[in-house]
Amino acid sequence: MHFKWNYEPPTPEERKAAEALGAKMNISPILAQILVRRGITTEPAAKRFFRPQLGDLIDPFLMKDMDVAVDRLNDAMGRKERILVYGDYDVDGCTAVALVYKFLLQFYSNVDYYIPDRYEEGYGVSRKGIEYARETNVKLIIILDCGIKAMEQIAFAKTLGIDFIICDHHVPDDEMPPAVAILNPKRADDTYPFKHLCGCGVGFKLMQGFAKNNAIPFSQLIPLLDFVAVSIAADLVPVVDENRILAFHGLKQLNQNPSVGLKAIIDICGLNGREISMSDIIFKIGPRINASGRMENGKESVDLLVERHFPSALRKAKHINTYNEQRKDIDKQMTEEANQIVARIESQKRHSSIVLYDENWKKGVIGIVASRLTEIYFRPTVVLTRDEDYATGSARSVTGFDIYSAIKSCRDLLVNFGGHTYAAGLTLRWDDIPEFRKRFQKYVEDHIQPEQTEAMLNVDAIIDFKDITKKLHNELRRFGPFGPMNQKPLFCTTGVYDFGTSKVVGRDQEHIKLELVDSKSNNVMNGIAFGQSASARYIKSKRSFDIVYTIEENIFKHNDVQLQIEDIRPAEDEGEADFKRTAPTT
């Protein structure tokens, strides 16, 4: 992929604010500048950023319907009603169900959980799930990470004497289901000050409200924060404000004393003995929790997450790991097929979006394929497969483009749809795909901005290798947890050379292991450039080049740092001079 590099030098006002903040906080001017750029300009704000406090979590009763939800939950327990905790089959839903079920089970035994089968029941509230509730004498369903559009299903459940508390974070319609309480910060009539909770986060707020109302110490919720951190990372919600607090303390729990089920996943991922990051969740832990729902039934993941005995958890984790291996094979095959289709379409005309369908693609994997195509082609993407007379699909977007609104513009063609700005799901009649594709692509063409279709690297600072010290790296670690709206700082160094020992590595010789020296300080830095072996020949030619990178710990040399290089650009590349001219060294 060819990236466009974007760097805006600090204004005089930003330089002045960074200088003052750096002196007060005793941090490097480089990092003070990054803080200022991220809107953190005062010492108290910086301290809150670096040391997120659980005491700063928002009062759960500021969320609309929280009082009603807690009262109904208290009533169910008082009347000894059976409660069913119901959730989506992805990471967010499974962690949410595990969190709510485990917490309630400490105080109340008549509680069960349910995850719908993706292939038999589909997304959200199913008739089969409601029938299960009726047969097991459930009177209250707490539904997590879905339900906000289940109008008919929840109305049907109501006729059976089954109430719903909805905990969702997807965009609601103007009309909402007849639940006794709807907890969703995206409700138009909700003034809750943070709108970006994940489904598990909303479930956590319900348990926080229940605990507060019943004088249960908040400390009893802390062991469950590892589930929230896993959900925040995997669902790619913004890691700012309340999510940052939850992710910070959830990662702490995950590293120090994870729940038995997550400890088993950590074991099979090979993450023992190292500090687990948000990236580890995204690329290792999350996919394994997702795998059972993608390949078979997501309930197996919840069974693992609520397991109390480690030997049993380890057996379940190994079983789920086999699903993940199967998923990887199918994912690879489907992505290759999708790329071939895109190549054929591109030979006729380049569109601003991608809509692909194949009746043989596996429903549980199309979301991953949509994500991969978005990363490869940097365009909003919809991938569909067949389910009898219907097409069911997943949509993924690029930075700044609201794919939910694009899909909503075609709602008269849709049987069902839901989601948020960057990810959505949809169902339509198979025969309506050509019309949907035409209208979806027209909407994207009319609304997308040219810069949204470019792969962009937003550089935080231009530095020399002499600036890269262990102290700088330790200070950078305090910027975490990283994620959307709090990305890992990106640096640029210009005019670097191969030290003479760089080489191509990897099973398919696709990566470059680098030893580099810059022209200003003669400091040697180690680095790794994943998937960039095409640049190796230029690097070995001894000509200078520019790099954009993050600063990481070398996991093989714990007291050393290395560069993870995101892009390499020959120094004489067209446009490079303009980049440097507008980007003086920090």
Side-chain angles (χ1 to χ4, degrees):
M1 180 183 292
H2 180 70
F3 288 99
K4 183 176 181 180
W5 298 4
N6 178 49
Y7 175 73
E8 295 180 13
T11 63
E13 292 77 15
E14 287 173 333
R15 285 183 184 277
K16 186 176 179 181
E19 185 178 329
L21 186 60
K24 288 177 183 175
M25 295 294 296
N26 192 28
I27 59 174
S28 77
I30 295 167
L31 298 190
Q33 175 189 313
I34 296 171
L35 281 174
V36 169
R37 271 291 167 85
R38 297 187 181 192
I40 299 162
T41 57
T42 66
E43 185 179 5
K47 286 180 176 177
R48 283 196 303 272
F49 179 79
F50 285 136
R51 293 193 289 273
Q53 300 295 312
L54 289 169
D56 290 333
L57 289 174
I58 300 166
D59 181 352
F61 287 96
L62 291 178
M63 190 177 293
K64 189 169 180 62
D65 277 4
M66 181 62 74
D67 53 345
V68 181
V70 170
D71 285 347
R72 181 65 185 90
L73 182 53
N74 285 334
D75 288 345
M77 290 181 169
R79 296 196 290 250
K80 300 194 179 340
E81 293 175 346
R82 188 157 181 78
I83 299 170
L84 184 66
V85 184
Y86 187 123
D88 188 21
Y89 36 63
D90 68 358
V91 177
D92 195 10
C94 289
T95 52
V97 168
L99 184 151
V100 171
Y101 175 78
K102 283 187 73 173
F103 190 69
L104 291 180
L105 203 60
Q106 297 176 68
F107 313 101
Y108 188 70
S109 60
N110 197 12
V111 59
D112 190 11
Y113 59 87
Y114 188 92
I115 302 290
D117 186 294
R118 184 193 296 259
Y119 296 96
E120 287 187 14
E121 299 167 70
Y123 171 79
V125 185
S126 69
R127 282 293 182 114
K128 184 177 178 181
I130 293 171
E131 288 297 332
Y132 174 83
R134 182 182 63 80
E135 290 165 6
T136 55
N137 201 32
V138 166
K139 296 301 179 186
L140 174 64
I141 295 177
I142 300 172
I143 187 156
L144 298 140
D145 193 35
C146 54
I148 197 65
K149 294 196 172 186
M151 298 286 296
E152 293 178 13
Q153 298 92 327
I154 291 177
F156 170 65
K158 195 173 180 181
T159 67
L160 302 176
I162 300 170
D163 285 338
F164 270 78
I165 294 172
I166 296 174
C167 300
D168 205 349
H169 70 126
H170 297 99
V171 179
D173 280 336
D174 294 336
E175 187 179 1
M176 291 184 290
V180 294
I182 299 175
L183 306 179
N184 187 331
K186 291 191 176 80
R187 286 179 61 163
D189 58 350
D190 195 338
T191 57
Y192 190 76
F194 185 65
K195 302 298 183 183
H196 302 295
L197 292 169
C198 57
C200 187
V202 180
F204 175 83
K205 298 306 292 188
L206 174 59
M207 293 300 95
Q208 186 188 1
F210 170 77
K212 185 175 181 179
N213 181 260
N214 288 280
I216 298 167
F218 182 85
S219 58
Q220 290 189 235
L221 280 163
I222 292 175
L224 299 168
L225 286 173
D226 53 1
F227 291 140
V228 188
V230 167
S231 182
I232 287 169
D235 219 50
L236 297 175
V237 290
V239 187
V240 296
D241 301 330
E242 189 160 43
N243 278 345
R244 179 174 171 79
I245 298 170
L246 292 167
F248 180 90
H249 290 278
L251 274 179
K252 187 176 177 182
Q253 185 70 27
L254 191 65
N255 278 286
Q256 294 178 359
N257 189 24
S259 63
V260 170
L262 286 174
K263 175 70 171 68
I265 298 174
I266 289 166
D267 268 31
I268 64 166
C269 289
L271 292 173
N272 269 329
R274 51 173 283 196
E275 186 176 356
I276 296 167
S277 68
M278 300 289 270
S279 292
D280 292 323
I281 296 171
I282 293 167
F283 295 110
K284 296 191 175 182
I285 297 173
R288 285 167 172 83
I289 297 173
N290 257 334
S292 63
R294 293 191 187 282
M295 305 306 295
E296 293 292 336
N297 191 311
K299 185 175 182 294
E300 292 184 58
S301 285
V302 181
D303 293 342
L304 167 60
L305 293 175
V306 301
E307 179 59 60
R308 301 182 198 182
H309 304 290
F310 187 73
S312 178
L314 198 56
R315 285 195 299 273
K316 289 174 180 175
K318 287 176 179 176
H319 182 60
I320 281 175
N321 197 50
T322 64
Y323 287 148
N324 194 50
E325 294 303 313
Q326 295 167 16
R327 187 272 307 166
K328 285 195 280 190
D329 291 339
I330 294 170
D331 164 14
K332 183 178 179 182
Q333 179 187 339
M334 284 172 53
T335 302
E336 287 173 356
E337 292 172 0
N339 273 320
Q340 290 171 8
I341 297 171
V342 174
R344 285 202 305 273
I345 295 171
E346 295 287 280
S347 66
Q348 300 164 33
K349 182 186 176 183
R350 186 194 186 281
H351 294 278
S352 56
S353 63
I354 295 170
V355 179
L356 302 182
Y357 56 95
D358 188 298
E359 61 183 28
N360 297 314
W361 284 343
K362 192 170 181 69
K363 189 192 297 187
V365 184
I366 54 178
I368 300 175
V369 175
S371 294
R372 296 204 193 289
L373 294 176
T374 303
E375 291 166 6
I376 294 168
Y377 299 101
F378 225 72
R379 279 173 265 171
T381 299
V382 178
V383 178
L384 300 154
T385 188
R386 188 161 191 156
D387 185 1
E388 297 181 347
D389 292 334
Y390 296 95
T392 183
S394 291
R396 300 291 184 269
S397 195
V398 295
T399 302
F401 183 78
D402 185 350
I403 203 163
Y404 177 83
S405 295
I407 289 170
K408 187 177 180 180
S409 72
C410 307
R411 67 181 307 160
D412 58 301
L413 295 173
L414 304 177
V415 176
N416 196 12
F417 73 102
H420 42 79
T421 303
Y422 294 118
L426 64 158
T427 302
L428 65 158
R429 294 190 63 81
W430 184 260
D431 293 341
D432 287 337
I433 293 177
E435 179 65 18
F436 169 79
R437 172 192 265 171
K438 183 174 75 175
R439 285 169 51 180
F440 176 82
Q441 290 182 334
K442 179 69 168 61
Y443 182 96
V444 175
E445 286 170 9
D446 290 346
H447 292 83
I448 202 162
Q449 301 300 311
E451 61 271 17
Q452 291 172 336
T453 62
E454 295 178 312
M456 187 82 72
L457 291 176
N458 291 308
V459 175
D460 289 280
I462 297 181
I463 62 176
D464 299 328
F465 285 172
K466 65 177 170 54
D467 300 313
I468 303 173
T469 62
K470 189 66 179 174
K471 182 177 184 294
L472 178 74
H473 177 249
N474 288 336
E475 289 178 342
L476 279 171
R477 286 161 58 92
R478 298 170 66 197
F479 275 72
F482 298 109
M485 294 178 66
N486 186 44
Q487 298 288 357
K488 197 170 284 189
L490 273 177
F491 300 97
C492 175
T493 299
T494 59
V496 304
Y497 297 85
D498 176 28
F499 188 60
T501 50
S502 298
K503 60 183 178 180
V504 175
V505 297
R507 187 174 62 182
D508 299 317
Q509 301 285 284
E510 67 271 40
H511 314 309
I512 315 174
K513 191 173 185 303
L514 297 143
E515 282 195 319
L516 302 174
V517 60
D518 72 355
S519 55
K520 295 171 186 170
S521 62
N522 291 320
N523 287 29
V524 179
M525 288 299 306
N526 293 313
I528 183 75
F530 293 112
Q532 298 185 59
S533 57
S535 297
R537 191 170 180 179
Y538 184 92
I539 290 168
K540 298 300 288 184
S541 73
K542 293 290 187 181
R543 288 178 287 177
S544 68
F545 51 96
D546 305 336
I547 53 173
V548 171
Y549 55 89
T550 58
I551 300 171
E552 312 285 349
E553 181 178 34
N554 187 329
I555 61 172
F556 302 108
K557 297 179 181 178
H558 293 296
N559 292 318
D560 201 5
V561 297
Q562 70 172 2
L563 314 182
Q564 183 167 313
I565 296 166
E566 301 297 325
D567 201 20
I568 298 167
R569 177 182 290 176
E572 65 264 24
D573 256 16
E574 184 180 348
E576 187 272 340
D578 290 337
F579 176 84
K580 285 200 291 189
R581 188 163 55 243
T582 58
T585 302
T586 302

